[in-house]
Amino acid sequence: MCGIIGYIGNEQALPILIEGLKKLEYRGYDSAGVAVHNGLHININKAKGRLAVLEERVEGNHLIGTLGIGHTRWATHGEPSDINSHPHTNQSEDIAVVHNGIIENYMKIKSWLQREGYVFVSDTDTEVVAHLINYYYKGNLVEAVRNTLERIEGSYALAVIAKGHPECMVVARKDSPLVIGLGEGENFIASDIPAILKYTRKVYFLDDKEIALISRDRVNIINQYGEKVKKEVFEVTWDVEAAEKGGYQHFMLKEIHEQPKALRDTLTSRIKVGRIELDDINITRSQLEKAGKIVIVACGTAYHAGIVGKYVIEKLVRIPVEVEIASEFRYKDPLINENNIIIVISQSGETADTLAAMRMCKTIGAKIVAITNVVGSTLSREADHVLYTWAGPEIAVASTKAYITQLLCLSMMALDFADKMGKISREEYRQMIEEMQRLPQLAQNLLDNKEIIQRCADETFNANSIFYIGRGLDYAVALEGSLKLKEISYIHSEAYAAGELKHGTIALIEEGTPIVALATQKNLFEKTLSNIKEVKARGAFVIAVAIEGDTVIEKEVDRVIFIPSTHNMLAPILMVIPLQLYAYYVAVAKGCDVDKPRNLAKSVTVE
């Protein structure tokens, strides 16, 4: 959500800012803007809408200068507009600020500043930051920012430039990610690595409440007390090409097709000589025995992965598992203690609600296991144990390969825990590992035979509502399939436990209503088939997802998408692929902006 880019060096800043903002478009935004210091003044240009609108506006405007900051905004306070776009300034435009996050006490500060004579022009919370810095500025920009940060409450990643300081910028963060890219005679800042990867692979990760003074040749970092902080340089190892479309029409389609590789990469270093070895997770048998319960905390797609994880962990490990929505978790006075194991899941490792939930659990003393895709993210740094999903950069807003590798990580973790607890036979342990190693090829086989999925999409893309049903693990995956469809096609969709249809939901079924019925769980197949017959009797158009070789279901539904046979607990990893493709082809048929769906952001760094 929102994107920040900044540059100081010997090159013209504007092209670098625009290029960086393009790399951040995947985060979701409704407006964009830049501020460039020409040595005497700060020139600002910003525009509602796509980045192309800003590009057209700055063309020929001669925004000359080698220091600048840029921003893509996703509205939280104030509607999308030119005025509410970032950067924001004080009245005389001596200070320019870009900001990710939310200033929770901005109304109180705004009222005070208005009494001091400050005039506000936007509806945003960010504008108070520009005025506060101006209020505290007495020639030292770092001190002005420090004093400002002491007054504000909430989350922030901030970048500040000032008219009187053409030689530097000041940045700070709390709960919103910010990286500093290190170059030769130039330095960069960004809210995410892809924005600067074209220029440098060496970065610093700012931690909470740290402030950095950045010039062409130097980066000085201090903490909230003014003490110097020494940072280790992090070397980015993945290629910029990994964040390009590579010939695919959309990033989402590219990332769906990258899932076999993502599965293989996530498995490779974790299976050794027929055994699961999770080197970064040192949960012992004693800790598992004392745990009492495992709590999985996440948001959105990661939450749906957690629901699958609950089924798998409870089945294999026989420890109770609770799955909590992170944004609700802290406010329900949860019953957790220091023995509980808390699994937090976030693709970006920067999801604000998930971070807040983790920190609350840490104060109690619970053991935190993080599943994330981003090395160096806040989640990975603050958790006790980390299991990385080696999915590579995920650009499309709708998560695909991050979800599927989260499922794989949860399955490996469950298998490891079951082995430590002595709850799984040698034969089943061996069989599950063998099936895990087959998953990349089975996933590729699914992708190589997607014509039936395209046909299903072509037949249903004009529907007003599409429902998903399933039982057990099928229901858990149905939740994610339904979310994907909603996210990118804007079709109303819900997922229901198939056995609940007769308790009210079946009233929604009428002639031609599309139903996606998941029927891969052998022990529940007959019951699911009965539910399919119920909706067919009321005129539904049923698309089934079933295990290959199932000849029974073909007689009861309109279309069948088959997935390869695998271990029952691993079926969700394959099952979700046709659901992702179905959502994708429906959205394309409707002419939707698949990679940047309306109102959504890739990384939700505000609560």
Side-chain angles (χ1 to χ4, degrees), residues 5-14 17 34-39 41-43 63-70 141 160-170 187 189 214-216:
I5 181 72
Y7 173 77
I8 183 168
N10 297 308
E11 303 295 327
Q12 287 300 309
L14 182 61
L17 299 180
V34 292
V36 177
H37 201 310
N38 67 8
H41 306 284
I42 298 173
N43 295 310
L63 266 69
I64 304 300
T66 58
L67 165 64
I69 52 178
L141 187 58
V160 183
I161 61 175
K163 177 181 176 181
H165 293 276
E167 80 291 348
C168 69
M169 73 174 82
V170 175
N187 287 305
I189 58 113
I214 303 172
S215 63
R216 289 176 176 81

mmCIF file of all heavy atoms in Angstrom, residues 5-14 17 34-39 41-43 63-70 141 160-170 187 189 214-216:
data_model
loop_
_atom_site.group_PDB
_atom_site.id
_atom_site.type_symbol
_atom_site.label_atom_id
_atom_site.label_comp_id
_atom_site.label_asym_id
_atom_site.label_seq_id
_atom_site.Cartn_x
_atom_site.Cartn_y
_atom_site.Cartn_z
ATOM 1 N N ILE A 5 9.827 6.458 -3.170
ATOM 2 C CA ILE A 5 11.110 6.382 -3.852
ATOM 3 C C ILE A 5 11.846 7.695 -3.596
ATOM 4 O O ILE A 5 11.211 8.752 -3.478
ATOM 5 C CB ILE A 5 10.930 6.142 -5.374
ATOM 6 C CG1 ILE A 5 12.282 6.028 -6.089
ATOM 7 C CG2 ILE A 5 10.109 7.248 -5.995
ATOM 8 C CD1 ILE A 5 13.018 4.764 -5.800
ATOM 9 N N GLY A 6 13.158 7.634 -3.485
ATOM 10 C CA GLY A 6 13.944 8.847 -3.311
ATOM 11 C C GLY A 6 15.338 8.678 -3.887
ATOM 12 O O GLY A 6 15.858 7.559 -3.955
ATOM 13 N N TYR A 7 15.935 9.793 -4.321
ATOM 14 C CA TYR A 7 17.268 9.737 -4.916
ATOM 15 C C TYR A 7 18.045 10.985 -4.566
ATOM 16 O O TYR A 7 17.506 12.106 -4.535
ATOM 17 C CB TYR A 7 17.172 9.638 -6.441
ATOM 18 C CG TYR A 7 18.514 9.742 -7.128
ATOM 19 C CD1 TYR A 7 19.384 8.660 -7.147
ATOM 20 C CD2 TYR A 7 18.925 10.933 -7.748
ATOM 21 C CE1 TYR A 7 20.633 8.756 -7.770
ATOM 22 C CE2 TYR A 7 20.160 11.037 -8.370
ATOM 23 C CZ TYR A 7 21.013 9.944 -8.366
ATOM 24 O OH TYR A 7 22.245 10.031 -8.968
ATOM 25 N N ILE A 8 19.356 10.787 -4.312
ATOM 26 C CA ILE A 8 20.294 11.896 -4.218
ATOM 27 C C ILE A 8 21.614 11.430 -4.835
ATOM 28 O O ILE A 8 22.102 10.332 -4.546
ATOM 29 C CB ILE A 8 20.491 12.382 -2.766
ATOM 30 C CG1 ILE A 8 21.428 13.588 -2.738
ATOM 31 C CG2 ILE A 8 20.976 11.262 -1.850
ATOM 32 C CD1 ILE A 8 21.451 14.308 -1.406
ATOM 33 N N GLY A 9 22.165 12.240 -5.745
ATOM 34 C CA GLY A 9 23.390 11.838 -6.421
ATOM 35 C C GLY A 9 23.820 12.869 -7.429
ATOM 36 O O GLY A 9 23.657 14.076 -7.205
ATOM 37 N N ASN A 10 24.346 12.383 -8.537
ATOM 38 C CA ASN A 10 24.828 13.281 -9.584
ATOM 39 C C ASN A 10 23.982 13.218 -10.852
ATOM 40 O O ASN A 10 24.189 13.993 -11.779
ATOM 41 C CB ASN A 10 26.285 12.940 -9.931
ATOM 42 C CG ASN A 10 27.203 13.151 -8.740
ATOM 43 O OD1 ASN A 10 27.203 14.225 -8.133
ATOM 44 N ND2 ASN A 10 27.976 12.128 -8.394
ATOM 45 N N GLU A 11 23.032 12.300 -10.892
ATOM 46 C CA GLU A 11 22.145 12.169 -12.038
ATOM 47 C C GLU A 11 20.887 13.012 -11.819
ATOM 48 O O GLU A 11 20.573 13.410 -10.691
ATOM 49 C CB GLU A 11 21.750 10.701 -12.244
ATOM 50 C CG GLU A 11 22.923 9.761 -12.427
ATOM 51 C CD GLU A 11 23.694 10.042 -13.708
ATOM 52 O OE1 GLU A 11 23.059 10.456 -14.702
ATOM 53 O OE2 GLU A 11 24.938 9.866 -13.705
ATOM 54 N N GLN A 12 20.151 13.240 -12.890
ATOM 55 C CA GLN A 12 18.863 13.903 -12.756
ATOM 56 C C GLN A 12 17.905 12.970 -12.001
ATOM 57 O O GLN A 12 17.749 11.792 -12.338
ATOM 58 C CB GLN A 12 18.293 14.262 -14.132
ATOM 59 C CG GLN A 12 19.008 15.426 -14.792
ATOM 60 C CD GLN A 12 18.927 16.702 -13.956
ATOM 61 O OE1 GLN A 12 17.852 17.121 -13.529
ATOM 62 N NE2 GLN A 12 20.089 17.309 -13.703
ATOM 63 N N ALA A 13 17.244 13.518 -10.991
ATOM 64 C CA ALA A 13 16.422 12.690 -10.106
ATOM 65 C C ALA A 13 15.127 12.242 -10.763
ATOM 66 O O ALA A 13 14.671 11.109 -10.534
ATOM 67 C CB ALA A 13 16.112 13.459 -8.821
ATOM 68 N N LEU A 14 14.495 13.102 -11.571
ATOM 69 C CA LEU A 14 13.147 12.822 -12.060
ATOM 70 C C LEU A 14 13.018 11.484 -12.787
ATOM 71 O O LEU A 14 12.104 10.704 -12.463
ATOM 72 C CB LEU A 14 12.654 13.967 -12.952
ATOM 73 C CG LEU A 14 11.215 13.805 -13.481
ATOM 74 C CD1 LEU A 14 10.217 13.740 -12.341
ATOM 75 C CD2 LEU A 14 10.872 14.933 -14.440
ATOM 76 N N LEU A 17 13.078 8.727 -10.266
ATOM 77 C CA LEU A 17 11.861 8.683 -9.452
ATOM 78 C C LEU A 17 10.717 8.028 -10.226
ATOM 79 O O LEU A 17 10.002 7.171 -9.687
ATOM 80 C CB LEU A 17 11.455 10.093 -9.025
ATOM 81 C CG LEU A 17 12.447 10.883 -8.170
ATOM 82 C CD1 LEU A 17 11.878 12.261 -7.837
ATOM 83 C CD2 LEU A 17 12.806 10.127 -6.894
ATOM 84 N N VAL A 34 5.780 13.796 -7.339
ATOM 85 C CA VAL A 34 7.225 13.907 -7.129
ATOM 86 C C VAL A 34 7.556 15.306 -6.623
ATOM 87 O O VAL A 34 6.826 16.268 -6.872
ATOM 88 C CB VAL A 34 8.014 13.638 -8.435
ATOM 89 C CG1 VAL A 34 7.890 12.199 -8.867
ATOM 90 C CG2 VAL A 34 7.567 14.587 -9.546
ATOM 91 N N ALA A 35 8.665 15.403 -5.899
ATOM 92 C CA ALA A 35 9.241 16.689 -5.495
ATOM 93 C C ALA A 35 10.724 16.643 -5.845
ATOM 94 O O ALA A 35 11.428 15.706 -5.427
ATOM 95 C CB ALA A 35 9.044 16.927 -4.002
ATOM 96 N N VAL A 36 11.199 17.632 -6.594
ATOM 97 C CA VAL A 36 12.601 17.673 -7.025
ATOM 98 C C VAL A 36 13.217 18.996 -6.578
ATOM 99 O O VAL A 36 12.663 20.073 -6.811
ATOM 100 C CB VAL A 36 12.715 17.519 -8.553
ATOM 101 C CG1 VAL A 36 14.176 17.634 -8.991
ATOM 102 C CG2 VAL A 36 12.131 16.187 -9.009
ATOM 103 N N HIS A 37 14.372 18.906 -5.932
ATOM 104 C CA HIS A 37 15.105 20.075 -5.455
ATOM 105 C C HIS A 37 16.090 20.509 -6.534
ATOM 106 O O HIS A 37 16.938 19.734 -6.957
ATOM 107 C CB HIS A 37 15.856 19.713 -4.167
ATOM 108 C CG HIS A 37 16.230 20.874 -3.318
ATOM 109 N ND1 HIS A 37 16.877 21.985 -3.804
ATOM 110 C CD2 HIS A 37 16.060 21.093 -1.978
ATOM 111 C CE1 HIS A 37 17.084 22.841 -2.821
ATOM 112 N NE2 HIS A 37 16.586 22.324 -1.695
ATOM 113 N N ASN A 38 15.963 21.754 -7.003
ATOM 114 C CA ASN A 38 16.852 22.220 -8.085
ATOM 115 C C ASN A 38 18.069 22.982 -7.570
ATOM 116 O O ASN A 38 18.799 23.604 -8.339
ATOM 117 C CB ASN A 38 16.074 23.085 -9.077
ATOM 118 C CG ASN A 38 15.598 24.402 -8.473
ATOM 119 O OD1 ASN A 38 15.948 24.763 -7.351
ATOM 120 N ND2 ASN A 38 14.788 25.124 -9.232
ATOM 121 N N GLY A 39 18.291 22.935 -6.257
ATOM 122 C CA GLY A 39 19.409 23.656 -5.654
ATOM 123 C C GLY A 39 18.982 24.941 -4.998
ATOM 124 O O GLY A 39 19.645 25.424 -4.067
ATOM 125 N N HIS A 41 15.118 25.784 -5.061
ATOM 126 C CA HIS A 41 13.722 25.608 -4.683
ATOM 127 C C HIS A 41 13.326 24.138 -4.824
ATOM 128 O O HIS A 41 14.011 23.365 -5.491
ATOM 129 C CB HIS A 41 12.804 26.463 -5.566
ATOM 130 C CG HIS A 41 13.164 27.906 -5.597
ATOM 131 N ND1 HIS A 41 12.892 28.764 -4.553
ATOM 132 C CD2 HIS A 41 13.783 28.663 -6.547
ATOM 133 C CE1 HIS A 41 13.324 29.970 -4.855
ATOM 134 N NE2 HIS A 41 13.880 29.941 -6.068
ATOM 135 N N ILE A 42 12.187 23.809 -4.213
ATOM 136 C CA ILE A 42 11.589 22.484 -4.377
ATOM 137 C C ILE A 42 10.420 22.616 -5.345
ATOM 138 O O ILE A 42 9.489 23.390 -5.106
ATOM 139 C CB ILE A 42 11.095 21.916 -3.030
ATOM 140 C CG1 ILE A 42 12.255 21.752 -2.056
ATOM 141 C CG2 ILE A 42 10.394 20.582 -3.244
ATOM 142 C CD1 ILE A 42 11.836 21.362 -0.655
ATOM 143 N N ASN A 43 10.478 21.896 -6.447
ATOM 144 C CA ASN A 43 9.397 21.893 -7.427
ATOM 145 C C ASN A 43 8.582 20.616 -7.284
ATOM 146 O O ASN A 43 9.137 19.508 -7.242
ATOM 147 C CB ASN A 43 9.958 21.995 -8.848
ATOM 148 C CG ASN A 43 10.646 23.324 -9.080
ATOM 149 O OD1 ASN A 43 10.081 24.370 -8.783
ATOM 150 N ND2 ASN A 43 11.863 23.284 -9.601
ATOM 151 N N LEU A 63 11.690 19.697 -14.533
ATOM 152 C CA LEU A 63 11.957 19.458 -13.114
ATOM 153 C C LEU A 63 13.416 19.013 -12.992
ATOM 154 O O LEU A 63 13.731 17.825 -12.987
ATOM 155 C CB LEU A 63 11.012 18.395 -12.538
ATOM 156 C CG LEU A 63 9.734 18.933 -11.869
ATOM 157 C CD1 LEU A 63 8.825 19.527 -12.928
ATOM 158 C CD2 LEU A 63 9.011 17.829 -11.114
ATOM 159 N N ILE A 64 14.300 20.007 -12.947
ATOM 160 C CA ILE A 64 15.731 19.750 -12.920
ATOM 161 C C ILE A 64 16.203 19.648 -11.479
ATOM 162 O O ILE A 64 15.795 20.420 -10.619
ATOM 163 C CB ILE A 64 16.491 20.880 -13.629
ATOM 164 C CG1 ILE A 64 15.966 21.049 -15.064
ATOM 165 C CG2 ILE A 64 18.000 20.628 -13.623
ATOM 166 C CD1 ILE A 64 16.114 19.823 -15.917
ATOM 167 N N GLY A 65 17.090 18.683 -11.224
ATOM 168 C CA GLY A 65 17.667 18.553 -9.895
ATOM 169 C C GLY A 65 18.129 17.144 -9.627
ATOM 170 O O GLY A 65 17.621 16.186 -10.213
ATOM 171 N N THR A 66 19.091 17.014 -8.739
ATOM 172 C CA THR A 66 19.684 15.707 -8.439
ATOM 173 C C THR A 66 19.259 15.183 -7.068
ATOM 174 O O THR A 66 19.837 14.238 -6.554
ATOM 175 C CB THR A 66 21.219 15.795 -8.502
ATOM 176 O OG1 THR A 66 21.671 16.785 -7.569
ATOM 177 C CG2 THR A 66 21.677 16.171 -9.909
ATOM 178 N N LEU A 67 18.248 15.812 -6.481
ATOM 179 C CA LEU A 67 17.673 15.355 -5.215
ATOM 180 C C LEU A 67 16.159 15.352 -5.380
ATOM 181 O O LEU A 67 15.572 16.357 -5.818
ATOM 182 C CB LEU A 67 18.074 16.288 -4.065
ATOM 183 C CG LEU A 67 17.287 16.163 -2.751
ATOM 184 C CD1 LEU A 67 17.488 14.784 -2.119
ATOM 185 C CD2 LEU A 67 17.697 17.269 -1.773
ATOM 186 N N GLY A 68 15.530 14.242 -5.049
ATOM 187 C CA GLY A 68 14.079 14.208 -5.183
ATOM 188 C C GLY A 68 13.445 13.035 -4.457
ATOM 189 O O GLY A 68 14.113 12.055 -4.096
ATOM 190 N N ILE A 69 12.137 13.158 -4.229
ATOM 191 C CA ILE A 69 11.350 12.096 -3.611
ATOM 192 C C ILE A 69 10.068 11.926 -4.415
ATOM 193 O O ILE A 69 9.569 12.867 -5.038
ATOM 194 C CB ILE A 69 11.018 12.394 -2.131
ATOM 195 C CG1 ILE A 69 10.380 13.786 -1.980
ATOM 196 C CG2 ILE A 69 12.268 12.258 -1.261
ATOM 197 C CD1 ILE A 69 9.971 14.127 -0.544
ATOM 198 N N GLY A 70 9.541 10.712 -4.431
ATOM 199 C CA GLY A 70 8.310 10.430 -5.156
ATOM 200 C C GLY A 70 7.423 9.504 -4.362
ATOM 201 O O GLY A 70 7.853 8.860 -3.398
ATOM 202 N N LEU A 141 17.669 19.854 10.115
ATOM 203 C CA LEU A 141 16.530 19.085 9.608
ATOM 204 C C LEU A 141 16.326 17.793 10.391
ATOM 205 O O LEU A 141 15.179 17.392 10.651
ATOM 206 C CB LEU A 141 16.741 18.785 8.121
ATOM 207 C CG LEU A 141 15.564 18.140 7.383
ATOM 208 C CD1 LEU A 141 14.311 18.999 7.482
ATOM 209 C CD2 LEU A 141 15.925 17.873 5.926
ATOM 210 N N VAL A 160 11.876 13.181 3.732
ATOM 211 C CA VAL A 160 11.731 14.631 3.863
ATOM 212 C C VAL A 160 12.879 15.320 3.138
ATOM 213 O O VAL A 160 14.049 14.944 3.302
ATOM 214 C CB VAL A 160 11.744 15.045 5.355
ATOM 215 C CG1 VAL A 160 11.513 16.546 5.489
ATOM 216 C CG2 VAL A 160 10.716 14.254 6.157
ATOM 217 N N ILE A 161 12.540 16.338 2.335
ATOM 218 C CA ILE A 161 13.566 17.227 1.786
ATOM 219 C C ILE A 161 13.188 18.655 2.152
ATOM 220 O O ILE A 161 12.013 18.968 2.388
ATOM 221 C CB ILE A 161 13.734 17.063 0.261
ATOM 222 C CG1 ILE A 161 12.448 17.392 -0.495
ATOM 223 C CG2 ILE A 161 14.224 15.668 -0.079
ATOM 224 C CD1 ILE A 161 12.605 17.350 -2.008
ATOM 225 N N ALA A 162 14.195 19.534 2.218
ATOM 226 C CA ALA A 162 13.968 20.917 2.642
ATOM 227 C C ALA A 162 14.681 21.874 1.698
ATOM 228 O O ALA A 162 15.772 21.573 1.184
ATOM 229 C CB ALA A 162 14.458 21.124 4.069
ATOM 230 N N LYS A 163 14.076 23.029 1.493
ATOM 231 C CA LYS A 163 14.619 24.055 0.601
ATOM 232 C C LYS A 163 16.049 24.423 0.978
ATOM 233 O O LYS A 163 16.915 24.600 0.113
ATOM 234 C CB LYS A 163 13.724 25.289 0.647
ATOM 235 C CG LYS A 163 14.221 26.461 -0.179
ATOM 236 C CD LYS A 163 13.289 27.646 -0.052
ATOM 237 C CE LYS A 163 13.835 28.867 -0.790
ATOM 238 N NZ LYS A 163 12.935 30.040 -0.635
ATOM 239 N N GLY A 164 16.316 24.544 2.275
ATOM 240 C CA GLY A 164 17.641 24.957 2.728
ATOM 241 C C GLY A 164 18.671 23.853 2.756
ATOM 242 O O GLY A 164 19.802 24.072 3.198
ATOM 243 N N HIS A 165 18.293 22.646 2.272
ATOM 244 C CA HIS A 165 19.219 21.505 2.328
ATOM 245 C C HIS A 165 19.235 20.758 0.995
ATOM 246 O O HIS A 165 18.728 19.632 0.893
ATOM 247 C CB HIS A 165 18.824 20.562 3.460
ATOM 248 C CG HIS A 165 18.993 21.144 4.828
ATOM 249 N ND1 HIS A 165 20.188 21.132 5.501
ATOM 250 C CD2 HIS A 165 18.114 21.793 5.623
ATOM 251 C CE1 HIS A 165 20.036 21.725 6.683
ATOM 252 N NE2 HIS A 165 18.787 22.142 6.767
ATOM 253 N N PRO A 166 19.850 21.346 -0.022
ATOM 254 C CA PRO A 166 19.920 20.658 -1.317
ATOM 255 C C PRO A 166 20.891 19.487 -1.312
ATOM 256 O O PRO A 166 20.978 18.766 -2.311
ATOM 257 C CB PRO A 166 20.408 21.756 -2.266
ATOM 258 C CG PRO A 166 21.184 22.689 -1.387
ATOM 259 C CD PRO A 166 20.471 22.683 -0.059
ATOM 260 N N GLU A 167 21.597 19.313 -0.186
ATOM 261 C CA GLU A 167 22.633 18.294 -0.117
ATOM 262 C C GLU A 167 22.194 17.011 0.590
ATOM 263 O O GLU A 167 22.987 16.070 0.714
ATOM 264 C CB GLU A 167 23.863 18.872 0.600
ATOM 265 C CG GLU A 167 23.783 18.910 2.128
ATOM 266 C CD GLU A 167 22.771 19.920 2.691
ATOM 267 O OE1 GLU A 167 22.281 20.776 1.923
ATOM 268 O OE2 GLU A 167 22.467 19.857 3.900
ATOM 269 N N CYS A 168 20.943 16.918 1.033
ATOM 270 C CA CYS A 168 20.562 15.741 1.827
ATOM 271 C C CYS A 168 19.051 15.548 1.856
ATOM 272 O O CYS A 168 18.271 16.439 1.516
ATOM 273 C CB CYS A 168 21.092 15.856 3.253
ATOM 274 S SG CYS A 168 20.268 17.146 4.219
ATOM 275 N N MET A 169 18.657 14.349 2.280
ATOM 276 C CA MET A 169 17.270 14.064 2.652
ATOM 277 C C MET A 169 17.292 13.336 3.985
ATOM 278 O O MET A 169 18.320 12.754 4.384
ATOM 279 C CB MET A 169 16.565 13.220 1.577
ATOM 280 C CG MET A 169 16.996 11.764 1.532
ATOM 281 S SD MET A 169 16.033 10.778 0.369
ATOM 282 C CE MET A 169 16.872 11.174 -1.161
ATOM 283 N N VAL A 170 16.157 13.367 4.686
ATOM 284 C CA VAL A 170 16.025 12.677 5.966
ATOM 285 C C VAL A 170 14.871 11.691 5.846
ATOM 286 O O VAL A 170 13.792 12.029 5.317
ATOM 287 C CB VAL A 170 15.768 13.667 7.121
ATOM 288 C CG1 VAL A 170 15.514 12.917 8.426
ATOM 289 C CG2 VAL A 170 16.954 14.616 7.276
ATOM 290 N N ASN A 187 22.774 7.727 -3.524
ATOM 291 C CA ASN A 187 22.048 6.833 -2.644
ATOM 292 C C ASN A 187 20.557 6.920 -2.951
ATOM 293 O O ASN A 187 20.079 7.900 -3.526
ATOM 294 C CB ASN A 187 22.318 7.173 -1.174
ATOM 295 C CG ASN A 187 23.716 6.758 -0.736
ATOM 296 O OD1 ASN A 187 24.109 5.605 -0.877
ATOM 297 N ND2 ASN A 187 24.497 7.712 -0.233
ATOM 298 N N ILE A 189 16.349 5.671 -1.672
ATOM 299 C CA ILE A 189 15.452 5.131 -0.637
ATOM 300 C C ILE A 189 14.207 4.620 -1.346
ATOM 301 O O ILE A 189 13.824 5.114 -2.419
ATOM 302 C CB ILE A 189 15.077 6.181 0.438
ATOM 303 C CG1 ILE A 189 14.394 7.406 -0.199
ATOM 304 C CG2 ILE A 189 16.294 6.584 1.241
ATOM 305 C CD1 ILE A 189 12.962 7.580 0.172
ATOM 306 N N ILE A 214 20.723 11.217 4.713
ATOM 307 C CA ILE A 214 21.297 10.627 3.516
ATOM 308 C C ILE A 214 21.807 11.736 2.586
ATOM 309 O O ILE A 214 21.058 12.634 2.196
ATOM 310 C CB ILE A 214 20.253 9.774 2.769
ATOM 311 C CG1 ILE A 214 19.694 8.692 3.712
ATOM 312 C CG2 ILE A 214 20.857 9.130 1.525
ATOM 313 C CD1 ILE A 214 18.531 7.932 3.130
ATOM 314 N N SER A 215 23.085 11.649 2.254
ATOM 315 C CA SER A 215 23.681 12.546 1.262
ATOM 316 C C SER A 215 24.203 11.692 0.110
ATOM 317 O O SER A 215 24.002 10.482 0.085
ATOM 318 C CB SER A 215 24.815 13.360 1.882
ATOM 319 O OG SER A 215 25.859 12.500 2.315
ATOM 320 N N ARG A 216 24.886 12.322 -0.837
ATOM 321 C CA ARG A 216 25.396 11.567 -1.977
ATOM 322 C C ARG A 216 26.390 10.497 -1.559
ATOM 323 O O ARG A 216 26.427 9.401 -2.121
ATOM 324 C CB ARG A 216 26.087 12.513 -2.971
ATOM 325 C CG ARG A 216 25.145 13.423 -3.722
ATOM 326 C CD ARG A 216 25.920 14.403 -4.608
ATOM 327 N NE ARG A 216 25.024 15.218 -5.417
ATOM 328 C CZ ARG A 216 24.402 16.302 -4.969
ATOM 329 N NH1 ARG A 216 24.608 16.709 -3.712
ATOM 330 N NH2 ARG A 216 23.589 16.980 -5.774
#
